[in-house]
Amino acid sequence: MTGKVREQQGVQSIEVGGRLLECLAAAKGPMMLKELAQAADMPAPQAHRYLVSFMRMGLVEQHAETGLYDLGAFALQLGLSALGRIEPVTIATAYLADLSREIQQTVALAVWANHGATMVRWVSADTPVSATLRLGSVMPLTRSATGGVFLAYLSRSATSRLVRQELAENVRNQLTPTTAAEVDEWIERIRRRGYAYVADFIPGVEGASAPVFDHSGDVVLALTALGYNKPFQAKSQQIVAALKRTASTISQRLGYDKDRISA
């Protein structure tokens, strides 16, 4: 032994092809072959060969209408599996079914991932919410209850870029909020109440979300309940109370001590 750690041999072609997956993961949306090859610093014909193999594996998909490349279903499955093995998710998941039964609403868990507030667990009620949401959905910070929780309790440095992007999109799409002042007011309201409540993100659906904190006082999860407007409104106080109580219980399981953190 020389004291030097010998570098393990790998498969270079996999590492080279992996650059394409890294570029797709970092992109804001689907990419053309030419721009994807340039981003990965490889010739387009070489990139295409890798992409064909990745498509066969389900890691990449090509949109039939546009020819653009994007991450595939298996890539999403890998990402969700990795997120789902984070300890807070494992602990919190055990509480979802009981909460859903208690409030008779759909409940979900979200984590903060590379692209924002990402849904990783979902338990439907007997009358599941008919919406476009699904596992892996990234929720807007300025318009959804789930996103609002992370917006209110994460640092500004973690959310500022996404907030700027969303406000610009809101202006283009004639949605609210459109100003930083409106966002600040919402953040203050969420912190004062201890939860976020939204009635106009998805037509006909209302949602509430509460933060889950870890032992260091950092927000690690958003616990969300959502349902159709009228039944949700009729029991909103009970729903929010159960949601906050469950989020507090999970936080305690993760070692959160509000008095110690505040001291």
Side-chain angles (χ1 to χ4, degrees):
M1 293 288 292
T2 63
K4 223 177 180 179
V5 178
R6 185 170 63 87
E7 185 176 351
Q8 293 183 333
Q9 286 188 330
V11 180
Q12 186 178 15
S13 61
I14 293 178
E15 296 172 6
V16 172
R19 298 205 303 265
L20 293 166
L21 299 177
E22 291 176 354
C23 292
L24 282 173
K28 295 180 181 178
M31 301 178 70
M32 296 171 53
L33 173 60
K34 181 179 179 181
E35 64 178 346
L36 181 53
Q38 288 177 342
D41 193 26
M42 68 176 67
Q46 181 186 16
H48 181 260
R49 291 195 295 273
Y50 279 113
L51 290 169
V52 169
S53 293
F54 288 149
M55 284 191 290
R56 290 172 180 166
M57 298 170 63
L59 288 168
V60 171
E61 64 182 18
Q62 185 178 27
H63 296 185
E65 300 81 5
T66 63
L68 299 178
Y69 292 92
D70 203 352
L71 293 174
F74 185 46
L76 174 62
Q77 182 181 339
L78 286 174
L80 291 174
S81 294
L83 290 172
R85 290 173 186 174
I86 299 173
E87 184 180 7
V89 175
T90 303
I91 291 174
T93 297
Y95 292 86
L96 295 186
D98 287 343
L99 177 60
S100 180
R101 281 193 296 268
E102 178 183 352
I103 63 177
Q104 295 297 297
Q105 305 292 335
T106 295
V107 297
L109 277 180
V111 301
W112 185 254
N114 290 341
H115 297 292
T118 306
M119 292 292 192
V120 294
R121 290 288 185 272
W122 189 275
V123 175
S124 294
D126 292 336
T127 54
V129 175
S130 176
T132 57
L133 302 180
R134 64 184 186 277
L135 292 181
S137 292
V138 178
M139 311 305 291
L141 301 182
T142 61
R143 298 180 54 237
S144 71
T146 301
V149 163
F150 288 106
L151 177 62
Y153 293 101
L154 284 175
S155 67
R156 290 294 180 99
S157 61
T159 61
S160 58
R161 178 182 60 83
L162 290 174
V163 169
R164 287 195 299 270
Q165 293 174 355
E166 286 186 22
L167 290 178
E169 291 174 3
N170 290 349
V171 170
R172 286 194 298 270
N173 297 320
Q174 298 184 331
L175 300 169
T176 56
T178 58
T179 68
E182 291 174 290
V183 172
D184 288 342
E185 288 177 7
W186 195 39
I187 288 174
E188 194 279 330
R189 186 163 62 249
I190 294 170
R191 289 175 177 172
R192 185 176 67 250
R193 294 175 171 176
Y195 67 95
Y197 196 106
V198 168
D200 54 3
F201 173 49
I202 301 172
V205 174
E206 300 200 9
S209 188
V212 173
F213 302 100
D214 66 6
H215 66 281
S216 61
D218 294 328
V219 61
V220 289
L221 298 170
L223 178 62
T224 300
L226 62 160
Y228 294 110
N229 290 132
K230 289 186 177 180
F232 201 93
Q233 286 177 0
K235 296 184 177 181
S236 60
Q237 290 186 343
Q238 298 97 309
I239 291 170
V240 168
L243 188 69
K244 291 178 66 177
R245 185 184 67 247
T246 303
S248 177
T249 299
I250 298 170
S251 296
Q252 291 171 16
R253 283 286 312 278
L254 296 176
Y256 177 65
D257 183 337
K258 184 177 180 179
D259 294 334
R260 178 177 58 82
I261 296 296
S262 301

